[in-house]
Amino acid sequence: MRVLGVDPGLTRCGVGVVEGVAGRPLTLRGVGVVRTPADAELGLRLVAIEQGIEQWLDEYEPEVVAVERVFSQHNVRTVMGTAQASAVAMLCAARRGLTVALHTPSEVKAAVTGSGRADKAQVGAMVTRLLRLDAPPKPADAADALALAICHIWRAPAQNRLQQAVAQNRLQQAVAQNRLQQAAALHASKPASHHASKGRTA
């Protein structure tokens, strides 16, 4: 599985591509940051982020795009910019028919470090270790993007099993409901047929 991790942000949007499967060593394919000038008009910044992500999708052809799930923060202006950049990444992936996975920061931290409260330094250190790098990727946004990709690769098997179980349960419920409806329809039709036959006999 090849995953493009996106740590959304207007000024710095971290991107990183990791390939591998759960339980085996992972491979770094690429890491970087899509930057936009803070003094540029918002629409132009979003276009720049779109173009940057499209270039990564073209070059690395990931199967999945893992994006950090935006959550409420005290700084509304910051979270709005993060949400806008996140939407651009999701749009780019969806337009190509790619799977989009959302992971919260605590999920990513827990998956990579074992603690949902790990700081950026701990995340960077574990990313360095897991991908067998010489040094933590800089800036932290790039390391966070790799952590997102790693998180998805490790969590995907469990998520797939859960989704399959849910789908199977829904299918069973639908079949049972259909049988009930058929039985009810058959039961409702019997008296009508009986009365009709009596009328014909008379």
Side-chain angles (χ1 to χ4, degrees), residues 49-50 53-54 57 87-98:
I49 291 173
E50 179 195 24
I53 292 176
E54 288 287 355
L57 293 173
V88 170
M90 295 168 66
L91 171 65
C92 290
R95 190 160 50 202
R96 295 177 180 235
L98 300 176

Side-chain angles (χ1 to χ4, degrees), residues 94-182:
R95 190 160 50 202
R96 295 177 180 235
L98 300 176
T99 298
V100 177
L102 300 177
H103 300 286
T104 66
S106 59
E107 287 174 346
V108 175
K109 293 175 183 178
V112 175
T113 71
S115 171
R117 297 184 177 182
D119 58 25
K120 286 187 176 294
Q122 291 173 305
V123 172
M126 283 305 299
V127 166
T128 302
R129 178 179 175 184
L130 293 169
L131 296 179
R132 304 175 301 283
L133 307 177
D134 295 330
K138 298 292 184 180
D141 310 83
D144 288 345
L146 292 175
L148 274 157
I150 293 170
C151 171
H152 182 75
I153 291 173
W154 284 356
R155 290 171 60 94
Q159 289 179 330
N160 289 340
R161 286 194 296 270
L162 177 61
Q163 290 172 353
Q164 290 172 358
V166 170
Q168 182 66 23
N169 184 54
R170 287 177 178 171
L171 177 60
Q172 291 173 347
Q173 289 179 342
V175 170
Q177 183 67 24
N178 186 49
R179 287 175 178 171
L180 286 173
Q181 291 174 347
Q182 289 178 344

